[in-house]
């Protein structure tokens, strides 16, 4: 039996800097998982994924990543997504230090 | 060192201009990602977990101080101030931005470097023994041959859409420091009846189906090299499987068809194309050889060295582990460890790169090498200069005396960076190094090579590590499988699996148990880990690793 659909977010890498980004409910892109829109319905999730994939000027390799729901918002269920959310473990580089809070700048998004 | 011809310079300039236009077309939307991806990969640009990654070729691992300084500049200007040297003698930048990459490539071209054919189904950067041109046991410098192969393979029209990647390594010595038998094709310079020629290996490779390369031709006359290699690649180009990515490498072609069939086909193809090689390549090779002439070695007294060694224990320890015999008795080959305990194997900061460049310029006849073991080599250092070289390295955090020891670990980027990874490898390397440094056991343990990969692609060479560690994803948890008895030298061997894997928390204690078992059972301090393993086999190590099971049994 296929596994029932799990809560998911739409994630991708940003075209210009490769950074991990998440689709928000307001149809913006954020660098923070906590801003992501959590999708609980599979059909809805597929539509949101197609929408992400139709923005090649922003996204590369969009896909659905499973999340668990906590009081702080969505949390990764797999360690790969934990690294994507945080950054590498050997240096304090990437999101764990430099994540711009909130949505991407409009200019960043539309280039 | 090899200097670009006008043709080389023009070729790289054109490629960079093309790529700049391709990047612009991707950003303005005229190229889709599907269209752009093969183009960026052809220029060494990957998209990894957190960012783009640019892989720059360091042909046969040779760099001048000017090139090393330019890498430092790139690391500072467009990356996060460091670079990662890899087992394929490349350097990877982990954080470039897409729009900056054309400028980075132009900066590389200024110093005769590029990222072409560092990815994709082409003939990749040709690697060589990192002690080439300096080692005392060498028949001839392998780099002219490597450079000839590089020129022949770069943009070779027949070989741009191969079934899969194709990796070539070259060595000039019987002691294999270039892991020849783990390459698709390898060339070993040999001597027979006073004549120099080549032994050709084929079908080695690591990855999900590791294989030790086999001898395709025991002795090949120098003038036959290019037609013979071309014949080999073209036989595979037709015979190699394109239906299944995991069966496409030449190792599988050799395995499925048998070495004799492959050899017959290669010989037939060789006979066919040989007449077209009129000897121009041999003239080119002579020209290339002249560019790799030995430096003008200096004559100076080395008498003070022994006294300095006696008076400085730390210096003495470093000379014991980090020096290799040079073909000139007054010189030494210096290995600079990029494996400071607890640091990321293979990483160097921009400042460290500049220190190494300065040392090469002042004391090293302007030459640097990158080893497949992710260290940097100063191949020609006069022994009288060793104290100053050492002191300068020490001040830059580069004087770790651990070459060939347990903390001199090869580790691939793993899940910290790599999009294909199934587990992390860097933190495991960091923890092993830190732990054995704390135990102060490293020197007592002696020669021991640990190699770690973050997935079955085996970029960290775990199959040929004395102790190999493979990181896997077991139901969403990192799990590490151990192999023992691998060997990357001329008596190449693949490691054998010990049994069930270990979690990230259990893997360091597991490695400790293996090492203590070895210390217990070795005949004396001269019997290395690998020798001991080859003598006693797996069972004592299994018993140490899985005490509960072995008691139950
Ligand atoms: C981070 C991006 C990387 C990617 C996407 C990547 C991808 C791969 C893949 C797919 C293979 C398996 C090829 C096959 O079996 O057909 C492979 C093998 C290999 N890679 Fe990487 N790799 C990466 C980084 C590295 C690094 C950093 C090194 C050097 C430290 C390296 C060196 C090698 C080596 C030595 C092999 C095994 C030899 C062989 O080709 O059989 N790779 N890599
Ligand atoms: S072995 Fe796997 S994890 Fe490591 S660099 Fe290669 S592809 Fe990535």
């Amino acid at each position: 039996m296929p596994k029932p659909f799990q809560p998911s977010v739409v994630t991708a890498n940003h075209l210009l800097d490769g950074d991990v980004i998440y689709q928000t409910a307001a149809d913006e892109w954020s660098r923070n998982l906590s801003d992501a829109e959590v999708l609980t319905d599979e059909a809805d999730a597929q539509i949101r994924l197609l929408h992400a994939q139709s923005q090649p000027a922003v996204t590369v390799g969009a896909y659905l990543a499973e999340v668990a729901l906590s009081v702080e918002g969505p949390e990764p269920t797999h360690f790969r997504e934990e690294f994507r959310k945080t950054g590498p473990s050997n240096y304090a580089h990437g999101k764990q230090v430099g994540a711009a809070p909130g949505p991407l700048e409009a200019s960043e998004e539309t280039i | 060192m090899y200097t670009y011809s006008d043709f080389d310079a023009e070729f790289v300039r054109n490629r960079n201009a093309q790529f700049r236009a391709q990047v612009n077309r991707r950003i303005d939307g005229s190229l889709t990602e599907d269209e752009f991806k093969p183009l960026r990969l052809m220029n060494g640009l990957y998209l990894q977990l957190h960012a783009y990654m640019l892989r720059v070729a360091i042909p046969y691992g040779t760099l001048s101080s000017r090139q090393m300084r330019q890498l430092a500049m790139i690391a500072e200007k467009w990356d996060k101030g460091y670079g990662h040297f890899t087992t394929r003698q490349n350097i990877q930048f982990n954080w470039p931005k897409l729009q900056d990459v054309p400028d980075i490539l132009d900066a590389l071209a200024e110093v005769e470097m590029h990222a072409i054919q560092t990815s994709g189904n082409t003939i990749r950067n040709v690697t060589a023994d990192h002690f080439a041109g300096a080692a005392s046991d060498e028949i001839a410098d392998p780099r002219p041959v490597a450079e000839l192969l590089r020129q022949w393979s770069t943009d070779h029209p027949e070989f741009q859409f191969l079934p899969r990647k194709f990796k070539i390594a070259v060595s000039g010595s019987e002691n294999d420091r270039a892991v020849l038998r783990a390459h698709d094709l390898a060339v070993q310079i040999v001597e027979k009846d006073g004549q120099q020629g080549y032994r050709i290996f084929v079908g080695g490779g690591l990855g999900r189906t590791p294989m030790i390369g086999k001898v395709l031709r025991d002795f090949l006359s120098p003038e036959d090299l290019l037609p013979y290699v071309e014949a080999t690649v073209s036989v595979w180009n037709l015979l190699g499987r394109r239906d299944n990515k995991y069966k496409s490498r030449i190792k599988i072609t050799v395995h499925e068809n048998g070495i004799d069939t492959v050899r017959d086909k290669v010989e037939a193809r060789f006979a066919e194309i040989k007449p077209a090689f009129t000897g121009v390549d041999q003239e080119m090779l002579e020209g290339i050889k002249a560019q790799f002439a030995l430096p003008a070695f200096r004559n100076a007294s080395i008498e003070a060295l022994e006294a300095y060694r006696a008076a400085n224990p730390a210096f003495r320890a470093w000379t014991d582990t980090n020096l290799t015999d040079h073909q000139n008795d007054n010189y030494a080959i210096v290995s600079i460890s990029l494996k400071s305990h607890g640091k990321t194997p293979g990483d160097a900061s921009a400042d460290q790169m500049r220190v190494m460049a300065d040392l090469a310029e002042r004391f090293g006849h302007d030459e640097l090498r990158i080893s497949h073991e992710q260290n940097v080599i100063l191949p020609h250092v006069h022994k009288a200069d060793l104290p100053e070289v050492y002191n300068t390295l020490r001040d830059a955090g580069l004087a770790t005396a651990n070459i060939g020891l347990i903390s001199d670990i090869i580790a691939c980027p793993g899940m910290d960076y790599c999009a294909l990874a199934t587990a992390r490898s860097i933190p495991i390397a960091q923890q092993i190094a830190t732990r054995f440094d704390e135990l102060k056991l490293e020197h007592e343990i002696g020669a021991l090579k640990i190699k770690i990969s973050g997935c079955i692609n085996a970029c960290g060479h775990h199959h040929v590590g004395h102790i190999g560690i493979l990181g896997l994803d077991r139901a969403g948890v990192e799990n590490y499988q151990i192999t023992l008895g691998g060997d990357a030298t001329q008596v190449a061997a693949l490691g054998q699996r010990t049994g069930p894997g270990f979690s990230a928390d259990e893997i360091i204690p597991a490695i400790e148990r293996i090492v203590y078992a070895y210390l217990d059972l070795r005949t004396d301090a001269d019997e290395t880990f690998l020798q001991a393993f080859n003598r006693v086999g797996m069972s004592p190590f299994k018993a140490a690793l899985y005490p509960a099971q072995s008691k139950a049994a």
Side-chain angles (χ1 to χ4, degrees), chain B residues 124-309:
Chain B
R124 299 290 189 86
N125 183 32
V126 178
T127 53
D129 182 348
H130 43 266
F131 294 160
S136 59
D137 58 6
E138 171 175 283
I139 294 173
D141 187 340
R143 291 172 303 158
V145 170
E147 173 57 26
L148 182 71
L149 289 167
R150 187 190 71 79
Q151 293 192 11
W152 159 83
S153 65
T154 301
D155 219 26
H156 192 303
E158 188 181 341
F159 303 141
Q160 292 305 302
F161 292 95
L162 293 167
R164 194 88 176 84
K165 55 175 96 163
F166 196 82
K167 297 179 178 174
I168 302 180
V170 191
S171 160
S173 132
E174 190 56 40
N175 294 313
D176 183 1
R177 289 175 290 260
V179 211
L180 295 185
R181 289 155 189 81
H183 283 78
D184 296 282
L185 186 142
V187 179
Q188 182 190 354
I189 303 176
V190 291
E191 244 162 13
K192 197 171 130 188
D193 310 327
Q195 271 274 344
Q196 264 184 33
Y198 308 114
R199 180 177 295 144
I200 308 293
F201 295 93
V202 75
L206 302 172
R208 78 168 56 209
T209 323
M211 304 251 181
I212 301 291
K214 300 181 173 67
V215 175
L216 184 62
R217 180 73 105 83
D218 200 48
F219 189 85
L220 190 69
S221 293
E223 68 276 11
D224 291 341
L225 181 68
L226 275 197
Y228 199 81
V229 173
E230 181 157 317
T232 310
V233 183
S234 88
V235 163
W236 168 64
N237 200 10
L238 289 179
L239 203 59
R241 289 182 54 174
R242 289 169 192 265
D243 59 319
N244 181 339
K245 173 168 147 172
Y246 301 121
K247 304 209 158 156
S248 52
R249 296 286 289 270
I250 197 170
K251 62 189 173 189
I252 307 288
T253 313
V254 171
H255 183 70
E256 287 183 347
N257 294 272
I259 182 78
D260 295 328
T261 307
V262 170
R263 185 181 298 114
D264 290 348
K265 285 184 190 286
V266 169
E267 294 290 343
R269 176 77 183 151
F270 169 68
E272 220 175 302
I273 63 175
K274 167 74 185 162
F277 286 76
T278 54
V280 179
D281 56 308
Q282 289 303 298
E283 284 164 31
M284 281 172 67
L285 182 59
E286 285 314 307
I288 294 169
K289 275 185 186 160
Q291 304 206 36
F292 287 96
L294 281 177
F297 290 127
R298 190 157 77 78
N299 240 331
S301 164
I302 55 170
E303 266 166 39
L305 185 65
E306 274 318 309
Y308 194 85
R309 262 171 59 92

Side-chain angles (χ1 to χ4, degrees), chain B residues 2 14 30 45 151 166 296 324 346 384 410 461 491:
Chain B
Y2 182 75
N14 285 340
S30 16
L45 187 63
Q151 293 192 11
F166 196 82
T324 308
I410 295 183
H461 286 191
V491 284

